Amino acid sequence: MKVDKETLQKVAHLARLNIRPEEEDQLLKDMGEILNWVEKLREVNTEGVEPLTHMTGEVNVLRADKAEATIDRQQALKNAPQQDGKFFIVPQVMKRND
């Protein structure tokens, strides 16, 4: 399947991508290769194959969510780069809009 520049621009717009003109030729080639590969997948006989929701039959094994005392405060703060004796000190990442 061949992808033209108009289709590329439409897909870029929908995906909110800014594509530079010098990137267009390579992207057209790459998209064409991807679509050709998908076309090849259509040739695979999937008769009798159940659809998958997960790649494996494994089930998550979750532990009970219960509070436990694992280490005390002093042990937790022992190797902290910055702390005040009670808490870790970290750079501010959010600003208040009061």
Side-chain angles (χ1 to χ4, degrees), residues 8-98:
L8 176 65
Q9 291 301 325
K10 188 173 184 178
V11 170
H13 173 74
L14 292 171
R16 305 297 189 254
L17 298 174
N18 293 322
I19 297 176
R20 294 188 306 265
E22 62 270 16
E23 297 174 314
E24 285 181 350
D25 289 335
Q26 184 62 46
L27 286 171
L28 287 169
K29 180 179 177 259
D30 292 345
M31 287 178 73
E33 289 175 4
I34 291 168
L35 293 173
N36 287 336
W37 183 76
V38 170
E39 286 296 321
K40 282 189 176 230
L41 287 177
R42 290 185 185 192
E43 298 171 10
V44 176
N45 181 8
T46 58
E47 187 70 32
V49 177
E50 291 291 322
L52 293 175
T53 57
H54 295 72
M55 292 305 295
T56 68
E58 294 180 19
V59 178
N60 285 337
V61 179
L62 303 174
R63 64 174 172 77
D65 189 14
K66 58 183 178 182
E68 295 178 359
T70 53
I71 61 174
D72 64 29
R73 183 186 311 247
Q74 292 306 324
Q75 287 176 310
L77 294 172
K78 183 172 131 183
N79 293 320
Q82 291 186 300
Q83 47 100 356
D84 66 1
K86 285 181 139 181
F87 303 104
F88 295 99
I89 298 175
V90 297
Q92 181 177 354
V93 294
M94 299 178 74
K95 297 194 185 285
R96 294 174 55 166
N97 290 331
D98 292 339

